Amino acid sequence: MDYYSANISKLIEELSRLPGIGAKSAGRLAFHIINMPKEQANALASAITSARENIKYCSECFTLTDEDVCPICKNPQRDHKTIMVVENTKDLAAYEKCGKYNGVYHVLHGAISPMLGIGPNEIKLKELINRLKGDVNEVIIATNSSLEGETTAMYISKLVKPINIKVSRIASGVPVGGDLECIDEVTLLRALEGRVEM
Ligand code: ZN
């Protein structure tokens, strides 16, 4: 990349670290950014900085939020005795979009993957078990139906069952390897309503 200025090369290099962005796309984006009006480029840069600086984990459900406790956990209208376990904040957003779930969530920030060296301690599992010391009726496991998601679901059900809390798994309908965020609302709702006790 010697034929570019050092600044452009640096921008391309940073962009190409993003998931799904190869060298070619990174170059295209870099030139797009350079040609943006200055204010727009500044707005993009400060949105990145501000998001990275100010977003934190909700102290209850561990979703990404601007506040100490997220709006869902803060809402007294929600059923705080039903906890849906999801892999990440994007999955939480998918369920919220379908608007039919009134419980609260627990965000794991990943799934157990022996292949990638991600064990139970690398995700927010201890935090989930801690929450179950409170007044909880049901844990709904909504991890993806990938190998990692299934492994995580099994692991959680083994942890939760001895505490005598109902554990259920969202029904099939969420395709294997499919990201929850890509699934339409009807499918999500059917998966939620058709959940089975583990
Ligand atoms: Zn929360």
Side-chain angles (χ1 to χ4, degrees), residues 57-63 65 68-74 92 104-105 131:
Y57 293 141
C58 167
S59 58
E60 286 182 28
C61 73
F62 294 89
T63 193
T65 176
D68 286 333
V69 178
C70 77
I72 296 170
C73 290
K74 242 189 227 166
L92 179 156
V104 292
Y105 296 90
R131 289 180 76 185

Side-chain angles (χ1 to χ4, degrees), residues 101-119:
Y101 175 67
N102 191 44
V104 292
Y105 296 90
H106 186 86
V107 181
L108 294 171
H109 293 284
I112 297 170
S113 170
M115 243 167 55
L116 297 172
I118 300 168

